[in-house]
Amino acid sequence: MITAIVHINAEVDKIPEVAQTIAEIDGVSEVYSITGEYDLLAMVRVTAYEEIAEVIPGRLNKVPGVLHTETHIAFRTYSRHDLDAAFSIGLGETD
């Protein structure tokens, strides 16, 4: 699985509509309204790098109201869920 984190600037009066439209794109798993320099953050999860080109510049960037995007590709995923699962292996009670 390839994960891309996309920061998005949108027209201020269209942020909810832009977020909803982006959330409906295949490959987009989540969209967050955020504070700071960007208005939205989209998590894109695809199985091949070629799909990133289809999802981000091919569809996400073309959503009406999107002004600018900045994309970051994740090398590795660390999450509490993954870490808990990794450290719990073999730690069960024994008879």
Side-chain angles (χ1 to χ4, degrees):
M1 182 66 60
I2 299 156
T3 301
I5 299 99
V6 186
H7 293 106
I8 304 158
N9 279 350
E11 293 179 29
V12 175
D13 60 337
K14 294 183 181 178
I15 290 173
E17 294 86 358
V18 170
Q20 186 60 46
T21 302
I22 292 171
E24 294 171 2
I25 295 173
D26 286 339
V28 175
S29 61
E30 301 141 82
V31 179
Y32 299 95
S33 176
I34 60 173
T35 62
E37 183 178 345
Y38 296 96
D39 303 306
L40 300 168
L41 182 141
M43 300 298 292
V44 175
R45 293 187 171 92
V46 294
T47 56
Y49 284 103
E50 295 79 17
E51 292 177 74
I52 292 173
E54 295 171 21
V55 174
I56 300 169
R59 297 183 63 201
L60 191 150
N61 284 353
K62 294 179 180 177
V63 169
V66 170
L67 301 174
H68 173 77
T69 63
E70 182 175 296
T71 302
H72 302 268
I73 305 298
F75 293 123
R76 184 172 290 154
T77 301
Y78 300 94
S79 72
R80 181 151 186 88
H81 177 267
D82 293 338
L83 292 173
D84 287 346
F87 286 110
S88 68
I89 295 173
L91 296 179
E93 291 183 30
T94 58
D95 293 334

